[in-house]
Amino acid sequence: TLVWTLLKQGPYGGKPVVRRVVIVTPGSLVKNWQKEFQKWLGYERVKVFAASTDNRPEDFVKSPVYPVLLISYELFMRCYEELHKIHFDIIICDEGHRLKNAAIKTSSMLSS
């Protein structure tokens, strides 16, 4: 609901605060996140792009329809060059304890 609020109505005068959101999660949880969006917001409120081997992140880049990208840490690292070109207003990291060390490659990629 936080993502929907920031995308659609925002806390400041009802104006959206963000346009593009990326949620980085362990690979086993990407589908769970997608199901949670569908459960709480339905299909019509927010279009969510769940990146996978079938749904390549490049397709997200080309489409203005999806404001939310769900992607695994592993796929994020593999597609970093392509994703780095996109301006994301907010990055949400599930299982963030994986990022506790700033020297980890994933941490440096997410923060740049």
Side-chain angles (χ1 to χ4, degrees):
T1 56
L2 171 66
V3 171
W4 183 82
T5 300
L6 294 174
L7 282 167
K8 298 297 180 181
Q9 63 187 21
Y12 309 110
K15 296 182 180 174
V17 177
V18 299
R19 292 184 183 179
R20 289 273 183 145
V21 177
V22 61
I23 299 173
V24 188
T25 180
S28 61
L29 298 178
V30 171
K31 292 290 182 195
N32 291 359
W33 272 89
Q34 186 177 24
K35 288 177 185 175
E36 288 295 313
F37 268 94
Q38 291 168 358
K39 176 182 176 181
W40 294 105
L41 298 171
Y43 292 99
E44 66 281 348
R45 288 193 183 150
V46 176
K47 302 283 186 197
V48 177
F49 188 92
S52 65
T53 53
D54 297 330
N55 295 328
R56 304 295 303 162
E58 295 83 18
D59 297 332
F60 172 82
V61 173
K62 296 174 188 173
S63 175
V65 175
Y66 300 99
V68 179
L69 171 64
L70 299 174
I71 191 167
S72 68
Y73 283 102
E74 296 78 17
L75 191 54
F76 179 87
M77 290 178 62
R78 277 188 274 157
C79 300
Y80 174 75
E81 291 301 321
E82 187 72 26
L83 295 174
H84 186 67
K85 298 173 187 174
I86 304 171
H87 172 75
F88 289 104
D89 297 302
I90 187 169
I91 299 173
I92 298 171
C93 298
D94 192 7
E95 303 288 334
H97 63 274
R98 296 177 61 163
L99 309 172
K100 63 184 173 186
N101 183 347
I104 296 174
K105 189 175 181 179
T106 306
S107 296
S108 63
M109 287 180 155
L110 284 169
S111 64
S112 63

